[in-house]
Amino acid sequence: MIIVMKPNVPDDAVQELLARIEAKGLKPLHMPGSERVVLGALGDERILADLALENHPYVESVKPILAPYKLVSRELHPHDTIVSIGNVGIGGSRFALIAGPCAVENETQLLASAKAAKAGGARILRGGAFKPRTSPYSFQGHGGGALELLAEVGREVGMPVVTEVLESGDVELVARHADALQVGARNMQNFALLKAIGQTRTPVILKRGMAAKVEDLLLAAEYILAEGNDQVVLCERGIRTFETATRNTLDLAAVPLLKAKSHLPVIVDPSHGTGIRSLVTPMALAGAAAGADGLMVEVHYDPAVALSDGAQSLYPAQMEALGKQLAQLLPVVGRTL
């Protein structure tokens, strides 16, 4: 429920209403604006109705939040949220480029790939320490040692780092080393993990599940925000369809749709979205043109010897070329790299 207060409402009346809402076991929200104070109340609709807030002398209007995702919705939060990962903001007029290898393999590989990412205009370094793989015989990552190396290389090249967390028990460990946590497609509906991440204040990149609807992604984000962490970035990375020519079907229509429904920033991952190196750059540019707030791209100093996802990783020269093309395209859509 959204409660719009009348102009010049005294603070004690606002606090009294917030206390009434909380006393009923509901979650109160206080959103002071430049012209009006807006309150929110989340919880059982029957209890909300019993409060009869529309009769309060300082309440101008009361209306329900129609979307099932209350905190994520633009109904409650009409202005864009800018999520800060280290010193890099995602959202607003700046376009955030996140790049790095699929997996942290060794210091030489990570440092060379990080330098290639930065040379291409990336401001955030990605790299997997824990790798969920379809086959149990595929490379699973180096775990804790890779986290330390990722943080070290990030400091050396001057880039904040993001890496995936797989289990709720690892959230604290990963958050100690990374500037942002990534929830992969396979874990988008791991609700215990989402709640654990929500209890941190570490920024999160939440990837769309392989068979998830747009609403499913937004409700997954709601789990994180409901626990108190509003620093969430949504990531479109393709969904499974009947098409087998590409690894996934990159749903770029989801980008403007998500931005219309939610105040959270949206980025695109064309590497996992296509699985084919030659398609990464054109789909990255298409994602930027569709209104994405940033990209997450895989780059490896030598993809031919990559332990994970070499076929979709850009070579350093391709990464640099992508950065130059983005620099030309982004002013057309009102952004800068």
Side-chain angles (χ1 to χ4, degrees):
M1 181 180 292
I2 300 172
I3 305 142
V4 180
M5 308 301 291
K6 292 179 179 178
N8 304 315
V9 59
D11 186 63
D12 58 349
V14 171
Q15 296 305 319
E16 181 261 329
L17 274 178
L18 290 170
R20 279 181 60 191
I21 293 167
E22 189 170 19
K24 287 288 188 178
L26 305 171
K27 182 173 183 177
L29 301 171
H30 184 205
M31 296 164 285
S34 57
E35 297 180 2
R36 301 290 176 91
V37 172
V38 177
L39 306 182
L42 303 181
D44 191 314
E45 292 180 2
R46 294 166 296 181
I47 298 175
L48 289 170
D50 289 343
L51 284 171
L53 296 176
E54 61 276 2
N55 298 327
H56 194 283
Y58 285 109
V59 171
E60 182 172 284
S61 65
V62 177
K63 62 178 182 178
I65 304 171
L66 300 178
Y69 35 87
K70 312 299 184 185
L71 297 171
V72 169
S73 172
R74 280 199 184 274
E75 291 181 77
L76 192 60
H77 194 304
H79 303 295
D80 289 345
T81 290
I82 297 178
V83 173
S84 295
I85 297 179
N87 59 354
V88 181
I90 301 181
S93 62
R94 293 296 298 271
F95 187 86
L97 184 53
I98 306 167
C102 175
V104 176
E105 299 169 10
N106 55 62
E107 184 176 2
T108 299
Q109 170 257 3
L110 183 59
L111 182 57
S113 301
K115 289 179 177 178
K118 190 169 186 177
R123 300 179 66 207
I124 301 172
L125 175 64
R126 60 145 293 145
F130 302 95
K131 296 301 301 177
R133 305 300 297 278
T134 302
S135 169
Y137 307 112
S138 298
F139 176 60
Q140 306 287 316
H142 292 308
L147 286 175
E148 295 175 4
L149 182 57
L150 183 63
E152 180 183 326
V153 169
R155 287 190 294 269
E156 184 171 342
V157 297
M159 299 168 72
V161 300
V162 56
T163 192
E164 185 169 356
V165 57
L166 303 184
E167 301 179 18
S168 54
D170 289 335
V171 169
E172 185 180 346
L173 169 67
V174 177
R176 280 204 305 267
H177 294 89
D179 299 283
L181 307 174
Q182 177 183 304
V183 177
R186 292 170 175 83
N187 269 325
M188 190 205 77
Q189 290 184 311
N190 182 340
F191 301 122
L193 177 61
L194 299 179
K195 288 180 178 180
I197 289 173
Q199 291 164 14
T200 76
R201 294 300 176 264
T202 305
V204 187
I205 294 178
L206 177 64
K207 287 196 164 188
R208 184 179 180 183
M210 290 181 283
K213 298 183 295 183
V214 164
E215 184 174 285
D216 297 332
L217 175 60
L218 292 170
L219 283 168
E222 187 80 6
Y223 268 89
I224 299 172
L225 270 72
E227 294 293 330
N229 187 353
D230 63 354
Q231 294 293 287
V232 177
V233 177
L234 305 174
C235 181
E236 166 56 42
R237 46 80 67 199
I239 52 176
R240 289 273 177 89
T241 68
F242 57 82
E243 182 56 73
T244 58
T246 54
R247 180 174 180 173
N248 295 292
T249 297
L250 189 59
D251 182 12
L252 291 183
V255 174
L257 183 60
L258 285 166
K259 291 187 70 66
K261 291 180 175 292
S262 175
H263 57 90
L264 299 175
V266 181
I267 64 173
V268 171
D269 177 353
S271 299
H272 286 90
T274 64
I276 301 171
R277 184 181 301 112
S278 62
L279 299 181
V280 170
T281 293
M283 297 312 293
L285 297 172
D293 297 295
L295 295 170
M296 177 177 276
V297 177
E298 291 186 351
V299 58
H300 194 287
Y301 83 108
D302 187 0
V305 299
L307 297 181
S308 177
D309 286 349
Q312 65 191 37
S313 298
L314 297 179
Y315 283 90
Q318 293 175 311
M319 182 71 214
E320 189 172 353
L322 172 60
K324 291 177 180 177
Q325 289 176 283
L326 284 169
Q328 292 178 313
L329 170 66
L330 288 171
V332 177
V333 293
R335 295 181 184 267
T336 56
L337 187 59

